[in-house]
Amino acid sequence: MTTTEELLVERMLNDAAAAMETLNTCLGVRLGLYEALAGGPLDAHGLADRAGVHPRYAREWLEQQGAAGWLAVDGTDDDAYKRTFRLPDGLHSVLVDQDSPFYLGALPGFVASVAGVIDHVAEAFRTGGGVSFATYGAGTRHGIGRLNRPMFLRSIAAWIGALSGVPSRLAEEGSHVLDLGCGTGWSTIAIAESFPAARVHGIDLDEASVAEARQNAAARGVADRVSFTRADAAAFDPEGLRYDLACCFECLHDMADPVGVLHNVRRMLVPGGSVLIGDERVADSYTAPGDIRERLNYAFSTLHCLPATRAEGAKVEAGTVLRAPTVGEYAAAAGYTSFKEAPIDHDLWRFYHLTA
Ligand SMILES: C[S@@+](CC[C@H](N)C(=O)[O-])C[C@H]1O[C@@H](n2cnc3c(N)ncnc32)[C@H](O)[C@@H]1O
C-alpha cells in the first residue's frame, strides 16, 4: 500500500522534474536550439554548429530533451555524439512559430524570469513590500507580450465584433480607442489593423514595454495610427480627448487601483462608449484543490502579479485570480450602469462589457 508520505514524495519529484524541465525548455528557446532543429534532425555536433553552442552542452541538452519526451530520438547509438534528435510533430507550432495559435515558447522564459527574482519576492512577503514589474525584466515582459500576440492579431476583431454597436463606431473615421496596460503593444496594434479608421492609444506604466510597443507598431507599419504613453491608467489624462472604446486586456488584476482606473476611464468615454475587459478565466468562487487554471493563476499571483501590484502602492490588489463577481463590484463602484459578461469563447480569459 502506498503511504500518504510516498504519494507526496512522488508529487514533489514530479513537480521538481516539471520545473527543471521547463528551465531546460527555456534554454532551448533562448539559445535557438529548437529553431536549429527545425531545419531537420541533428546530432550533438550538428546542433552545436548550427546554434553556436558548445558540443558537450549540446549533447547533454539533447539527451535531456529526449529523456523528457520533448524531442524524438532517431537511433540510440552507443556513441552519444552520433545519436540524432528531431522535433516531433507539433513542437514547431508550440515552441518555435511565434505566429502559431498554439505558441507557448515564451512561457518557459517567463517562468525563469520569475524564478530569477525569488529573493526579492521572499523579501516582499516578509516586509509587505513589492517587486516592480521592471525588476522581473525582459523574460516577463516578452513572455506576456509574445504569449498574447498571436491571439490578439487573430481574434481581436472578433472580440470587439461581439460588442453590440462598437464595430460600427470604430468603422467611422476619427474614432478613438484607448488600450490600458498595453504592455508591448500587440493588442493596440491588432486593434489598429482590424479597424483602419480608428486611432488607437496604448498606455502602460512600464517604460521598457512602452518603448518596445513603439518599435513593434513601427515594424507592423501602423505607427501613423497608433501611439503610446507611459502612464498610470488611474491618473492618465487625455486632455479632452474622448474614446469610443477602452480595452483592458489581462491587466486589470495587475493594477493597484482598479476601481480608480475604471472610474478614470468612464470620464474619458464618449456618450454611449464602452469598456472591454479581458481577464483570467477563473471560477466565480474559491475551491481547493483548484483546476489547472486556478493553479496556474494562483502560482503566478504569489510570484509575480501580487508583488508587482504591491510595488505600485496597492489599494485593492486583486491578485491574478480576479473573479467575475469582483469585476462586477469594481464596475459598480466606478459608476458604470451596465456590466455584462461578453459572449466571447476563450479557454483562458473571460470578457466583460461595461457601459456608462
Ligand atoms: C500582464 S501584463 C498585460 C500586458 C498586455 N495587456 C497584454 O495582454 O499583453 C499587465 C500590464 O499592466 C501594466 N500595468 C500595471 N499597472 C498599471 C497601471 N496602473 N497603469 C498602466 N499600466 C499598468 C503592466 O506594466 C503590464 O504591462
Side-chain angles (χ1 to χ4, degrees):
M1 209 176 76
T2 317
T3 64
T4 313
E5 286 83 355
E6 284 167 341
L7 287 172
L8 289 171
V9 166
E10 194 179 324
R11 175 175 178 169
M12 192 65 251
L13 292 176
N14 276 312
D15 282 6
M20 298 298 274
E21 286 174 2
T22 298
L23 296 179
N24 275 283
T25 309
C26 170
L27 279 177
V29 172
R30 185 182 292 187
L31 296 168
L33 306 182
Y34 297 109
E35 229 171 328
L37 284 156
L42 290 172
D43 60 17
H45 284 291
L47 178 63
D49 285 350
R50 201 172 290 171
V53 297
H54 190 280
R56 182 64 188 89
Y57 283 105
R59 180 191 131 189
E60 200 72 8
W61 183 83
L62 284 169
E63 290 181 15
Q64 180 275 325
Q65 291 284 296
W70 281 109
L71 293 182
V73 192
D74 291 322
T76 44
D77 199 299
D78 279 348
D79 181 347
Y81 282 97
K82 286 197 179 141
R83 287 180 201 132
T84 57
F85 294 79
R86 64 186 158 78
L87 299 186
D89 286 351
L91 202 79
H92 189 266
S93 300
V94 175
L95 290 183
V96 181
D97 178 3
Q98 295 196 19
D99 293 327
S100 155
F102 300 104
Y103 180 69
L104 286 181
L107 187 53
F110 188 0
V111 172
S113 68
V114 167
V117 299
I118 191 104
D119 290 345
H120 294 281
V121 174
E123 186 60 12
F125 266 62
R126 284 191 201 100
T127 61
V131 182
S132 73
F133 187 86
T135 303
Y136 288 84
T140 289
R141 191 170 68 247
H142 294 160
I144 297 166
R146 289 177 190 165
L147 289 170
N148 289 341
R149 176 183 173 278
M151 73 172 176
F152 286 145
L153 294 176
R154 246 164 245 267
S155 308
I156 226 159
W159 297 349
I160 293 174
L163 308 180
S164 84
V166 176
S168 53
R169 274 175 182 266
L170 301 194
E172 282 168 30
E173 209 53 56
S175 55
H176 289 275
V177 181
L178 179 63
D179 188 16
L180 302 155
C182 63
T184 51
W186 289 109
S187 47
T188 326
I189 292 164
I191 296 167
E193 290 183 353
S194 305
F195 298 95
R199 307 259 151 194
V200 194
H201 190 62
I203 64 167
D204 198 284
L205 205 49
D206 181 52
E207 188 87 61
S209 295
V210 169
E212 284 181 17
R214 290 194 184 110
Q215 289 166 8
N216 291 333
R220 294 286 293 198
V222 292
D224 57 330
R225 292 182 289 114
V226 164
S227 54
F228 296 96
T229 305
R230 183 194 174 267
D232 179 348
F236 176 64
D237 177 3
E239 292 167 359
L241 196 63
R242 293 286 172 264
Y243 295 96
D244 298 277
L245 173 69
C247 296
C248 195
F249 295 120
E250 211 180 27
C251 58
L252 192 65
H253 70 252
D254 287 307
M255 293 178 172
D257 183 9
V259 174
V261 169
L262 292 178
H263 185 267
N264 191 30
V265 169
R266 193 166 59 80
R267 294 186 309 112
M268 298 179 218
L269 294 177
V270 299
S274 291
V275 178
L276 173 62
I277 297 169
D279 219 301
E280 312 302 347
R281 176 166 288 283
V282 286
D284 282 352
S285 57
Y286 178 73
T287 47
D291 64 14
I292 188 66
R293 293 190 192 101
E294 300 269 325
R295 287 173 56 194
L296 270 174
N297 284 310
Y298 270 115
F300 277 106
S301 195
T302 50
L303 293 168
H304 170 68
C305 296
L306 185 59
T309 308
R310 287 194 69 86
E312 263 187 52
K315 280 193 180 166
V316 174
E317 53 197 0
T320 320
V321 189
L322 178 57
R323 302 190 189 279
T326 310
V327 184
E329 284 163 24
Y330 291 171
Y336 290 84
T337 53
S338 167
F339 167 80
K340 287 186 224 150
E341 186 157 352
I344 299 169
D345 273 340
H346 193 291
D347 280 347
L348 297 175
W349 290 4
R350 289 171 88 164
F351 293 83
Y352 311 96
H353 183 187
L354 283 57
T355 48

